[in-house]
Structures are given as structure tokens and as C-alpha cells.
Amino acid sequence: MNTHLLTVLGHDGSPLSAEARELLGRAALVVGGARHLAAVPIPASARTVVMGELRTALDAIDADLEKDRNVVVVASGDPGFFGIVRALRERGHRPRVLPALSSVAQAFARAGLPWDDALVVSAHGRELRRAVNACRAHPKVAVLTAPGAGPAALARELFPQTPRTFVVCENLGGPDERVVHVRPAEASTRPWRDPNVVLVLDPRRQTGERGWVAGARPGPSGWALPDAAFGPGPLGTFAEVRALVLARLGPSVGDMVWDVGAGAGEVAIECARFGAAAVAVERDLASCERIRGNVRAHRVKVAVSRGTAPAVLDHLPEPDAVFVGGGGPEVARACAARALRGVVAVLRESGRVRAAEAALKKESLVTGVVRLDAAPFGANESEPVFVVWGERNAATPGGGRTGPSGRTVVTIRQRPSGEGSVL
Ligand SMILES: C[S@@+](CC[C@H](N)C(=O)[O-])C[C@H]1O[C@@H](n2cnc3c(N)ncnc32)[C@H](O)[C@@H]1O
């Protein structure tokens, strides 16, 4: 491929540089969205291809480059950031890139906020639910949207459980730019114009902490925390067991994890420390208070949903992974039916292991069981526990992240009044 013939020009609404004008003036082919093609000067001799289907546009670019013609691709903001540069590199091109300001940088500038501590997620051609989970777990998130996955859809998922403010930034740098500060309740019903970026902010933590790494916090400095980190009182999982449970759950940014029969909430809290959105499901009122205290002490976001499984699960957002700390095979099976990735259960009696495993298998999970016998060195006796897990095999039809076979993944927004809390 003749690399120097291909230029990618970022466009943010500001006047083009002399270099950009010169490159456009020499172009035989100019490719871009209709809005971008209308905004830049294109020589009468140049052909244009409106960027619709990506592969068609890439084929047109290839064809002209093979004939040694100059090609300019005009794209929004910084084309190296969630943009066309990746696709061009994947085709073997080495384009010259003249970036403009990213819409994310512009959006935070309009809000007058620092953004080195912000998480940037894209719902553009991707699952909205992962962006929503990131907004549940993090206080400052910029969401790149797409038609149908914009401010209204985002607000419908977050409202009313997740108190946030939105800064909706429409057509940044364009003639009809509009920046609106709005509550999710209002955002869910208003019409919005594309393109837009949405800043989803926790009103209590807008300035954020001064850090050394941009974007998502790296994983926690430690996990399988000492049992004492969850205050006095019994725990469902002690540290060594929790280490295996966390390894099997694999919580990360964009995930939703349920901790069913949460006890002190230690599994949900540890998942939240990894950046996942987490819900602790617990029927006992005093335990719910204990969970809330532990959540505050660890300074993470965990929703507490008070109720009895499996009924209470109907009202929760779709989980990637579920920890079952309490309840019988019926609860394990209900969790397995909803889990996109897998379920982990801890049992104290070996006689219950086969029933739990069978429940997971009925929902097409691939299962494993281990007996764990850990105790402080020198202790006279230990009580083994049995960790049972089931994973949805990504190779099976309908497996992996897209949901169990035949099921449409939906997020249920409303829960019965009196139950549940802030997500
Ligand atoms: C494929 S991403 C491209 C991001 C781009 N590379 C950037 O740096 O801004 C497309 C998304 O970027 C956002 N976006 C791009 N241009 C925008 C603009 N002028 N105003 C608001 N949002 C914009 C929208 O969320 C849009 O759906």
C-alpha cells in the first residue's frame, strides 16, 4: 500500500489548517459522513463517497490507493480515538493523521470539568448495557452515543435508581451546537439530536480525585481482603474462598455482578473494587444495614436490593456474573438462567453439591466443583467448603456475552416499591 497518499482529517468545526486545505485540494477521492463532506472544501475534480457501510467505503479507498491516487478521509474529532484510523490500520494502511479535538475533550471543556479521571465508554455500535453499567459504577463517565443508544435510552436505564446529572452535548463545534444540563428523568423524554456525547456525572463527586493514570482506575491494589475488612460478625466467604470466587466471577468495568444472599456484602464490594456495577441481594434487614456500612467504609458503589431470591431477581438489571451465597438449587438455577457469563456458588455441605451443579447444567452452563480446605496455619481444625461454578461457553450458540440462547437481553428498570436502593 502506498501510505503517504492517504490522509485522515479530523474535523471539530474549527477552521481547517493550511495543510488540511492543501491535502483536500490534491485529493482524487474524499470519503466521510455527509455532515463532514458538506463542511470541507472539496475540489470539483474529486469523487466523494459518503461513509455509510464501512466496508464499502474501505473498498473505495483501497481501489483509489491502488491507482496511486490521493485519498482524504474526513472524520469527527480525533480519528485515532474510537475512529476510522483503527479500521484503516487493520486493512494494512499507514495513514497520515491530522487530528482535531475529540468530542469528549470538547464536551468536558464545555462543562468546565477536568477529565483525566473520567471513564470514556462507547455505545456506538456496541452494547448499551455495558456503558450503563460503567455509569452505575463510576462517578464521571463520557458516553459516545449512537442513534437509538443516546441520552434518552441511557436515562431510561439509569433512572430512578442511579442519581446522576447529564450534560448532553449535541453537534459540538457545529452551527447548531447545544449543551444541556439535565436530570435523567427529563433526559428520558426529550428528543435529542445526533451526534451527541453525554457526560454522566455523580453530582456529589464531580471534581474527582487527583490521580496518576487516566480513565478507568487500574484494578484494586489487593483483593481477597482480610475478613476483618468487613467488620465484626460472621462472613459467608472467608478470604481464601473469596479469592477463588473472584477469580471465577472475573468482575471488570462494564460488568453487572449480583451477590445473592450477600450477608456482609463482601463479594459485591470486592467486585465493585474491580470497577464492576454490583447489586447485593439480601432478605435480612440487619444484614442490609451491615452491607451499607461496609459499602460506605470501602467507598465503592453497590446497590442493596432487599428481598427474597428468586422473586426479587426479576427486577434487577441483567448480570454478567452471579455469586450465590445463599438459597438452594432453585435460586442457583434462576441465576444461571439470567447470567450472561457465569455463576459461582459456595456450599458448606457436600450433599448439596450435585443438586447445585445440576441446576447450573440445566441452564447450559459448563460446570466445575472444588473442595477448599483452608485454615490459618496452626489451627486445630478446618471446615471445608465447596465452590461450584458454571460458565456459559462462548462457543455455544447464544453463549458468551450476548445472552442465553433465545433470550432477549433487557434491563428491567422498575422494582417493587419499598425494595431495592440506589444503583
Ligand atoms: C465513532 S465515534 C467517533 C469519536 C471521534 N473520533 C471523537 O474523537 O470525537 C462517534 C461518536 O462521537 C460522538 N461525536 C462525534 N462528533 C461529535 C460532535 N460534533 N458532537 C457531539 N458528539 C460527537 C458521538 O457520540 C458519535 O456518535
Side-chain angles (χ1 to χ4, degrees):
M1 289 290 163
N2 200 337
T3 55
H4 59 269
L5 294 175
L6 176 60
T7 300
V8 186
L9 196 61
H11 188 251
D12 63 7
S14 49
L16 294 180
S17 66
E19 186 184 13
R21 285 180 174 279
E22 203 230 307
L23 286 161
L24 277 166
R26 284 197 273 126
L29 173 68
V30 182
V31 179
R35 156 176 88 88
H36 293 123
L37 294 181
V40 299
I42 298 172
S45 57
R47 284 187 311 118
T48 55
V49 169
V50 178
M51 183 85 79
E53 216 257 311
L54 180 64
R55 193 184 313 172
T56 312
L58 291 172
D59 288 347
I61 293 168
D62 284 355
D64 268 50
L65 290 176
E66 270 158 28
K67 291 178 190 141
D68 282 345
R69 293 183 183 146
N70 287 305
V71 177
V72 175
V73 180
V74 190
S76 63
D78 179 350
F81 187 70
F82 290 103
I84 187 82
V85 172
R86 180 177 306 279
L88 292 170
R89 298 279 307 194
E90 281 167 1
R91 283 243 172 165
H93 300 302
R94 299 289 178 268
R96 175 196 336 227
V97 182
L98 302 186
L101 269 185
S102 171
S103 56
V104 176
Q106 292 214 64
F108 278 108
R110 298 294 190 279
L113 287 171
W115 64 287
D116 46 78
D117 56 339
L119 195 60
V120 182
V121 299
S122 178
H124 193 94
R126 295 151 172 102
E127 273 184 287
L128 180 67
R129 58 177 290 279
R130 294 194 72 74
V132 171
N133 286 336
C135 294
R136 288 183 172 120
H138 290 265
K140 188 190 274 184
V141 183
V143 184
L144 294 168
T145 64
L154 206 52
R156 281 194 293 272
E157 298 299 338
L158 293 173
F159 182 78
Q161 294 97 344
T162 310
R164 291 288 185 274
T165 55
F166 280 16
V167 184
V168 182
C169 304
E170 295 174 328
N171 202 1
L172 288 160
D176 51 355
E177 170 178 316
R178 189 170 65 150
V179 176
V180 183
H181 294 243
V182 70
R183 297 261 172 208
E186 199 189 335
S188 65
T189 54
R190 276 173 73 152
W192 299 102
R193 282 174 302 198
D194 293 314
N196 59 65
V197 171
V198 188
L199 307 184
V200 181
L201 308 170
D202 183 337
R204 293 156 297 186
R205 294 157 71 194
Q206 284 199 13
T207 307
E209 286 170 18
R210 189 165 162 266
W212 66 274
V213 57
R217 278 167 300 164
S221 50
W223 55 93
L225 298 174
D227 297 348
F230 301 100
L235 288 183
T237 60
F238 58 87
E240 288 74 14
V241 171
R242 217 177 315 119
L244 179 63
V245 167
L246 290 169
R248 294 288 171 205
L249 291 173
S252 69
V253 174
D255 283 347
M256 165 60 71
V257 181
W258 296 350
D259 178 359
V260 179
E266 69 274 16
V267 171
I269 288 167
E270 294 235 34
C271 290
R273 282 165 51 88
F274 278 95
V279 183
V281 178
E282 178 52 61
R283 67 179 170 203
D284 178 62
L285 183 60
S287 295
C288 287
E289 280 313 308
R290 187 176 171 205
I291 295 166
R292 288 193 184 96
N294 281 332
V295 167
R296 278 193 296 275
H298 286 274
R299 303 177 67 206
V300 289
K301 294 263 175 204
V302 172
V304 182
S305 183
R306 186 171 167 235
T308 305
V312 70
L313 306 177
D314 290 349
H315 307 283
L316 298 182
E318 225 60 44
D320 293 272
V322 183
F323 174 67
V324 183
E330 188 201 2
V331 172
R333 182 163 183 190
C335 293
R338 298 276 302 279
L340 300 174
R341 195 167 64 223
V343 173
V344 183
V346 169
L347 307 172
R348 294 188 185 284
E349 297 136 39
S350 60
R352 295 175 56 208
V353 166
R354 291 295 168 218
E357 224 191 337
L360 302 186
K361 281 192 170 132
K362 276 186 193 138
E363 296 298 332
S364 310
L365 301 190
V366 179
T367 59
V369 186
V370 75
R371 173 193 147 121
L372 275 189
D373 203 341
F377 185 64
N380 288 335
E381 53 191 52
S382 64
E383 282 181 34
V385 298
F386 303 87
V387 181
V388 181
W389 66 87
E391 283 161 7
R392 201 168 294 291
N393 185 348
T396 59
R401 292 196 169 278
T402 47
S405 180
R407 299 189 71 236
T408 308
V409 176
V410 286
T411 300
I412 296 162
R413 295 179 298 278
Q414 293 301 129
R415 62 185 73 204
S417 57
E419 285 188 339
S421 73
V422 170
L423 266 177

